[in-house]
């Protein structure tokens, strides 16, 4: 049995995207196991395959250069991997990589396509072309090791009985989130014909969604009420999830649930569409030449008016539901 030590320490959605890739890799390579290292609170994402073994860490225990050395030493001694897969490629993982290499481990890292993405998000570039999907970039790391891997890009529903519509109206950055009044109106209209479940996190989001629940019949806020495991189970039972370009889109993919995704300053051309999700279920303002102006939605609006979200017609979302 070969052992691959893989790591990604970043945002929730980015880590969630690695899981279907790892699962399909293990199905196609039965003589391999993956030890996945990431943040403690991501554990329930990885309960998908017996040879996908999760080890959670807290960087409070591994601060600075000496902390990285300590972490790498522990990983070497505990797992003795045959291959090391860096699915993140940031300063912290570069340090881990260099220590592994110094001890003659075979280290392979992701090509994130930074230059391509910079060109894509240049507002003066009018020749926008789709880039390689992020899940394929993850898969390339395993292919470089010499293993076969063909991704299906298909959803895998976890249950046959699905009902209700999930709605996750929030995102980490303003450039990825519909104005609240549009989201409220969308929920109000859809709740006339569907049971709507609100998803969010954090005190401020909890308060907003509780208020919406009290104002809109046939809705229920789950924000702050469920553990990650319980939230994943509920998402697996939904007919459809409505999400911004955010982690909830990737959680829907993980649980085999269709997602209607809303994109503002970001664009699926950058490669972050949820695994197995259809481009037909993307909702965005198509005729803005400045889109995308950001890979992650964290940049200030070039025009200053966030037209990519302010001009978005919620009827487009309703029609897809």
């Amino acid at each position: 049995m070969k052992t691959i030590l893989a790591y990604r320490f970043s945002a929730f959605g980015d880590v969630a995207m690695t899981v279907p890739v790892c699962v399909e890799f293990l199905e196609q390579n039965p003589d391999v196991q993956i030890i996945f290292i990431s943040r403690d609170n991501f554990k329930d994402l990885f309960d998908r395959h017996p040879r996908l073994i999760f080890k959670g860490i807290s960087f409070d225990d591994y601060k600075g250069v000496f902390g990285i050395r300590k972490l790498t030493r522990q990983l070497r001694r505990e797992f003795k991997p045959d291959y090391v897969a860096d699915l993140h490629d940031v300063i912290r993982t570069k340090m881990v990589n260099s220590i592994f290499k110094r001890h003659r481990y075979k280290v392979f890292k992701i090509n994130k396509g930074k230059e391509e993405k910079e060109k894509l998000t240049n507002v003066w570039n009018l020749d926008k072309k789709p880039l390689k999907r992020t899940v394929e970039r993850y898969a390339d790391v395993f292919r470089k090791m010499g293993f076969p891997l063909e991704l299906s890009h298909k959803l895998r529903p976890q249950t046959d009985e699905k009902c209700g519509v999930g709605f996750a109206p929030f995102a980490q950055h303003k450039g990825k989130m519909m104005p609240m009044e549009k989201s409220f109106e969308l929920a109000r209209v859809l709740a006339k014909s569907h049971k709507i479940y609100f998803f969010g996190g954090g005190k401020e989001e909890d308060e907003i969604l509780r208020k919406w629940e009290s104002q809109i019949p046939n809705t229920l806020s789950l924000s702050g009420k469920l553990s990650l495991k319980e939230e994943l189970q509920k998402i697996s039972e939904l007919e459809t999830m409505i999400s911004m370009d955010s982690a909830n889109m990737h959680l829907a993919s993980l649980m085999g649930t269709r997602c209607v995704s809303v994109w503002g300053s970001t664009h699926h051309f950058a490669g972050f569409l949820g695994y197995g999700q259809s481009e037909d279920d993307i909702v965005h303002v198509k005729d803005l030449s400045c889109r995308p102006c950001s890979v992650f939605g964290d940049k200030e609006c070039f025009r200053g008016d966030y037209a990519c979200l302010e001009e978005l017609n919620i009827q487009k979302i309703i029609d897809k539901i």
Side-chain angles (χ1 to χ4, degrees):
M1 178 76 67
K2 297 288 186 182
T3 297
I4 298 173
L5 183 73
Y7 36 80
R8 175 138 195 158
F9 305 125
S10 59
F12 199 27
D14 294 325
V15 175
M17 290 179 77
T18 67
V19 179
V21 178
C22 289
V23 169
E24 293 198 13
F25 170 80
L26 292 169
E27 290 173 348
Q28 296 173 38
N29 295 274
D31 57 343
V32 184
Q33 65 176 351
I34 295 177
I35 312 295
F36 203 103
I37 317 298
S38 195
R39 300 179 187 274
D40 277 324
N41 52 323
F42 296 163
K43 180 179 184 297
D44 289 328
L45 297 176
F46 289 84
D47 185 21
R48 298 290 173 267
H49 194 283
R51 284 182 282 113
L52 179 56
I53 301 160
F54 181 80
K55 180 178 177 64
I57 63 170
S58 170
F59 281 109
D60 289 339
D61 300 328
Y62 303 102
K63 293 180 178 178
V65 175
F66 292 106
I68 294 296
R69 288 179 179 174
K70 175 185 173 184
L71 171 61
T72 310
R73 182 170 62 250
Q74 289 177 353
L75 295 176
R76 285 182 9 242
R77 290 177 176 175
E78 184 174 356
F79 300 114
K80 299 179 177 62
D82 298 286
Y83 304 90
V84 175
D86 176 3
L87 303 178
H88 199 174
D89 191 26
V90 292
I91 292 175
R92 180 179 279 144
T93 62
K94 289 178 190 293
M95 293 168 64
V96 175
N97 296 349
S98 66
I99 297 172
F100 271 117
K101 288 178 180 178
R102 203 177 306 146
H103 289 83
R104 301 187 182 283
Y105 284 87
K106 301 173 183 175
V107 179
F108 301 82
K109 69 177 182 178
I110 188 172
N111 175 2
K112 294 196 287 189
K114 290 182 180 179
E115 291 183 3
E116 302 168 73
K117 290 174 182 175
E118 286 178 6
K119 181 179 178 181
L120 177 68
T121 54
N122 183 337
V123 295
W124 304 111
N125 172 24
L126 302 182
D127 185 23
K128 311 286 190 181
K129 296 178 181 178
L131 306 182
K132 179 179 287 190
R133 293 192 176 189
T134 299
V135 288
E136 288 290 349
R137 294 184 187 275
Y138 291 146
D140 282 344
V141 179
F142 298 110
R143 292 169 184 145
K144 290 174 190 174
M145 297 175 187
F147 294 103
L149 177 54
E150 189 73 30
L151 298 182
S152 68
H153 295 284
K154 292 182 179 179
L155 292 176
R156 296 184 177 189
Q158 304 293 303
T159 177
D160 293 330
E161 297 183 10
K162 288 178 169 283
C163 64
V165 174
F167 184 24
F170 300 103
Q172 185 176 1
H173 302 293
K174 181 178 179 180
K176 297 203 293 186
M177 193 165 65
M178 280 198 306
M180 285 293 96
E181 59 272 18
K182 285 182 181 285
S183 289
F184 179 86
E185 181 62 14
L186 174 64
R188 190 188 66 79
V189 172
L190 287 176
K192 294 177 180 179
S193 54
H194 300 80
K195 177 74 173 183
I196 305 298
Y197 298 91
F198 296 130
F199 290 81
K203 185 178 179 181
E204 186 177 343
E205 294 180 10
D206 290 351
E207 291 175 357
I208 292 171
L209 294 178
R210 278 200 300 269
K211 185 177 180 181
W212 289 9
E213 178 187 24
S214 68
Q215 294 174 326
I216 307 174
N218 205 28
T219 65
L220 176 65
S221 174
L222 301 177
S223 181
K225 298 178 181 178
L226 305 178
S227 67
L228 175 57
K229 191 169 188 176
E230 291 169 336
E231 185 172 330
L232 289 169
Q233 178 61 35
K234 184 59 187 178
I235 290 173
S236 74
E237 298 168 358
L238 297 172
E239 292 177 45
T240 306
M241 170 68 87
I242 303 170
S243 173
M244 309 302 106
D245 168 22
S246 69
N248 284 283
M249 171 176 58
H250 302 299
L251 297 184
S253 287
L254 190 58
M255 303 312 295
T257 295
R258 172 190 178 227
C259 182
V260 174
S261 55
V262 179
W263 301 68
S265 65
T266 60
H267 199 290
H268 69 282
F269 277 9
F272 291 100
L273 181 63
Y275 189 78
Q277 300 296 342
S278 170
E279 291 186 9
D280 292 338
D281 286 329
I282 291 172
V283 176
H284 57 166
V285 179
K286 295 181 180 180
D287 56 351
L288 286 173
S289 60
C290 56
R291 288 189 63 241
C293 64
S294 174
V295 174
F296 303 111
D298 54 345
K299 294 181 181 178
E300 287 292 322
C301 175
F302 170 75
R303 294 165 46 120
D305 60 357
Y306 287 95
C308 55
L309 293 161
E310 294 290 345
E311 294 181 6
L312 195 142
N313 187 348
I314 63 168
Q315 187 62 43
K316 293 181 179 180
I317 304 172
I318 296 166
D319 291 345
K320 292 185 184 297
I321 304 300

